Amino acid sequence: MRVLIGGGSGFVGRELTHLLKNKGHEVTIISRQPGPGKITWGELESRGLPPCEGAVNLSGENLMNPLRWWNEGYRKDLFSSRVDTTTILAQAIAGSPSPPHAWVLVTGVACYKPSLTAQYTEDSEWTPFDLLSRLVKEWEWAGRLPENIAQNTRQVVIRPGVVLGRDGGAMKQMMTPFWLGLGGTLGSGRQPFPWIHVSDLAGIIAHALEPSPDTPSSAVPQVFNGVAPALNTNYEFTKELGRVLRRPTVFPVPGFVIDALMGSERAVVLTQGQKVEPKRTLESGFQYRYPDLSSALKEIVGS
């Protein structure tokens, strides 16, 4: 299978590319820079979709970039880097004389309203309620294919939680303070902490790309929650990471400090959370390699 990946050089993209190549698939990355095995976004717009059986979009400015101050320019970049690239790819698919059989868009669980009690599955209804949920709404809408194209191209939306892995993502920023014994809960610590190991997220994407004759064509994308089946809180995550690293976790970070450092609209990702279940992901037959925090964190820190 030939797979086209937008944002394939990022944290999740590298893991997905490695997995697909190991399975014998051919990967082309859409990138800002040209190179072997790559095409640029400009080339995609001008020349159209290259021959492929699957397309994935992982593009997007890093929401938790510690080097960027939370301001209007950053907010615009968060939207444009996701919505614009998704629009370009969806239009290229719609305009192709031979569109792929699968189109996978990876968004996020920010569409579900934070709650200490509510539990969400892929069937849960939602409406935008803040900046990040509006982003998910525009992002997913940008990926919709025309009905005549959707009859032959299966549309899939994957909504991951916090992606954990050795070489990037949230862990890259957390490891140093935890190694120094300065780790602690964020805010109250009671907030749900939907997470997934990067290997499992790549696995769900690869699983979604596979031909699925049992799934009828639909103008509405099929949704998979890209989270581990374990339902953990920030406190449980903090204590388990401290246990695996054999480090104390006695320095909680108050919510108002996180708000001040990151901006309140962005800080909600850390100080609030959602109980998200991968109901349809499990029903599809996907097998998790790291279904619980202990196995995931042990692999990441190498203990």
Side-chain angles (χ1 to χ4, degrees):
M1 178 167 57
R2 294 165 296 183
V3 182
L4 185 66
I5 305 177
S9 55
F11 173 46
V12 178
R14 294 193 302 271
E15 187 76 19
L16 176 61
T17 298
H18 180 70
L19 174 62
L20 291 173
K21 286 184 174 180
N22 280 348
K23 289 176 172 283
H25 302 309
E26 180 184 319
V27 174
T28 299
I29 292 170
I30 315 170
S31 174
R32 284 173 290 190
Q33 302 297 326
K38 296 180 179 179
I39 64 169
T40 66
W41 288 99
E43 288 170 337
L44 180 65
E45 283 190 279
S46 61
R47 301 180 189 174
L49 195 77
C52 61
E53 286 73 50
V56 181
N57 195 21
L58 294 162
S59 295
E61 171 76 26
N62 179 9
L63 173 64
M64 293 308 198
N65 186 345
L67 303 178
R68 293 204 60 179
W69 190 248
W70 188 249
N71 55 29
E72 189 58 33
Y74 190 13
R75 285 189 282 268
K76 285 181 178 177
D77 285 349
L78 286 176
F79 273 74
S80 63
S81 63
R82 289 163 171 78
V83 177
D84 292 355
T85 57
T86 299
T87 300
I88 292 169
L89 194 40
Q91 288 177 345
I93 292 170
S96 172
S98 181
H101 64 68
W103 158 223
V104 180
L105 177 61
V106 181
T107 60
V109 296
C111 58
Y112 305 122
K113 195 168 187 177
S115 170
L116 296 177
T117 55
Q119 289 193 197
Y120 299 100
T121 71
E122 293 89 345
D123 296 318
S124 299
E125 294 185 4
W126 62 279
T127 53
F129 56 90
D130 66 356
L131 179 87
L132 296 181
S133 60
R134 290 198 300 274
L135 170 57
V136 175
K137 189 74 171 181
E138 288 188 31
W139 196 358
E140 294 186 359
W141 187 255
R144 291 284 187 98
L145 299 178
E147 197 165 336
N148 63 315
I149 305 297
Q151 290 175 358
N152 298 307
T153 298
R154 191 174 74 259
Q155 303 180 85
V156 180
V157 167
I158 297 174
R159 296 173 182 155
V162 177
V163 184
L164 305 179
R166 194 181 299 227
D167 301 319
M171 293 299 298
K172 195 171 186 179
Q173 297 172 37
M174 286 190 276
M175 289 299 283
T176 299
F178 271 84
W179 268 118
L180 295 173
L182 301 174
T185 54
L186 302 178
S188 70
R190 295 186 300 123
Q191 68 271 30
F193 184 77
W195 63 273
I196 189 167
H197 191 287
V198 66
S199 295
D200 281 329
L201 178 54
I204 293 170
I205 298 169
H207 184 65
L209 284 168
E210 295 293 337
S212 182
D214 297 333
T215 304
S217 60
S218 172
V220 179
Q222 186 176 26
V223 175
F224 292 106
N225 284 332
V227 296
L231 294 174
N232 297 111
T233 63
N234 175 262
Y235 174 85
E236 290 167 341
F237 169 79
T238 301
K239 293 305 174 185
E240 185 60 27
L241 181 54
R243 188 187 71 78
V244 170
L245 290 173
R246 299 182 179 87
R247 294 291 189 275
T249 53
V250 294
F251 292 95
V253 184
F256 72 87
V257 173
I258 302 171
D259 285 351
L261 290 173
M262 305 196 70
S264 58
E265 289 176 310
R266 176 166 57 159
V268 295
V269 174
L270 302 177
T271 59
Q272 301 180 38
Q274 312 89 337
K275 292 182 180 180
V276 183
E277 296 180 67
K279 180 175 178 286
R280 191 172 294 137
T281 308
L282 290 167
E283 289 173 350
S284 75
F286 178 74
Q287 299 288 320
Y288 284 83
R289 291 178 63 189
Y290 306 102
D292 57 81
L293 273 175
S294 180
S295 62
L297 294 176
K298 283 178 180 176
E299 190 282 329
I300 291 167
V301 304
S303 65

